[in-house]
Amino acid sequence: MTKIKRLLRRRKKLIVAFIAAVGSFLLGVTLPMNLRASAPATPMQPQVLAVSQSQKPKPIANVNGIRGAIAHRVEFSQQALASLEETRFKTDLPSQFKGTMLRQAKLDSQHKAIALTFDDGPWPTTTRQILDILKKNNIKGTFFWVGRYLQTYPELGKQVAAAGHAIGNHTWNHQYIKYNEDGAAREIDRTSALIEEVTGVKTSMFRPPGGILNNGLAAYAQKKNYAVIMWSADSLDWRTATQSLMDNVMRQANSGGIVLMHDGGGNRARTVQALPDIIAKLRKEGYKFVTVPELLQMQEQDLKKQETAQK
């Protein structure tokens, strides 16, 4: 009996010790966590800052709080995806325009929109200067890139895409020679592949160097379902003085118009100098600035309205 009593006492002591250890753990971990969640920050224990300073962090002290936080993150992710889809919509072309050649959009009298386009980049200094001007004026432009320049200045390309501007293909080498189909494929396919690799943008816009339509490039682009984007207002910024450049744009500007300028391929200081005044003058005349894809989306919407009205 004595041995049995000893064994019972020993077992009792072990159970008490175990319960004490568990209680100590719960007090040492759970309680400090709750205190940390509700207590104000101190120099020795700073609180985690929220991503947005306008939203104060809320303590998550229970399961419901955790579920609420997860639901908030899911909602935020859905909003981000919706925003991304909206951006993709704005940079894509309506299917009816793919495989066609366009000089401008056909808009009804209620719209007064115009697209500023820039060729031959990306180009050091000048592209950044034009990006700054567009950002200051809250304008999105359309850039037609030469593949070998994008290969040389990929970071510039990323900046243009990150700012939300539309991007088109302007061949790899920007030459005015005749091409067979294989040569045209190398010029166009290689450039589009690099644009997508650098920026993630899958472009469906092509602009032939010099506006040449009969040397094999435009034909191949249309065969591959690109929209061949020409222009309705030529600034002639590659050869004219600043004032003449502005006069050229203003004289040819019209609703649905596409303005040709250059951010690369040479010294484009005159374009940089003239651009703020061109924007100001066009705004004064009531123009809204959009990208080429947005311009064509506006035309598509106008056509749908006309079809609905006729029914």
Side-chain angles (χ1 to χ4, degrees), residues 201-220:
V201 173
K202 189 174 178 65
T203 186
S204 54
M205 295 185 293
F206 173 75
R207 175 171 283 171
I212 300 172
L213 296 172
N214 60 356
N215 65 347
L217 292 172
Y220 177 81

Side-chain angles (χ1 to χ4, degrees), residues 84-125:
L84 178 60
E85 288 302 321
E86 183 181 358
T87 302
R88 286 174 176 168
F89 172 77
K90 288 182 178 179
T91 57
D92 195 18
L93 293 178
S95 58
Q96 63 178 299
F97 298 111
K98 293 180 180 180
T100 66
M101 191 275 289
L102 300 147
R103 296 188 182 276
Q104 69 176 76
K106 298 176 181 178
L107 302 182
D108 64 30
S109 58
Q110 296 179 348
H111 291 126
K112 198 169 185 182
I114 198 165
L116 302 180
T117 70
F118 304 90
D119 286 10
D120 297 357
W123 199 257
T125 306

Side-chain angles (χ1 to χ4, degrees), residues 1 3 22 79 111 113 142 150 164 175 179 208 215 239 265 297 304:
M1 289 296 293
K3 290 182 178 180
V22 171
Q79 291 173 350
H111 291 126
T142 304
L150 178 60
Q175 295 178 334
Y179 292 90
N215 65 347
R239 74 178 189 187
Q297 287 162 17
K304 287 180 179 179

Side-chain angles (χ1 to χ4, degrees), residues 90-91 114-115 140-142 164-166 289-296:
K90 288 182 178 179
T91 57
I114 198 165
K140 302 302 180 187
T142 304
H165 302 285
F289 298 94
V290 297
T291 65
V292 169
E294 288 173 328
L295 202 61
L296 298 180

Side-chain angles (χ1 to χ4, degrees), residues 26-56:
L26 291 174
L27 288 172
V29 175
T30 307
L31 182 60
M33 285 179 66
N34 289 334
L35 289 173
R36 284 196 295 269
S38 58
T42 65
M44 295 298 293
Q45 183 187 325
Q47 288 182 320
V48 177
L49 293 177
V51 174
S52 173
Q53 293 181 354
S54 62
Q55 296 180 347
K56 296 181 180 180

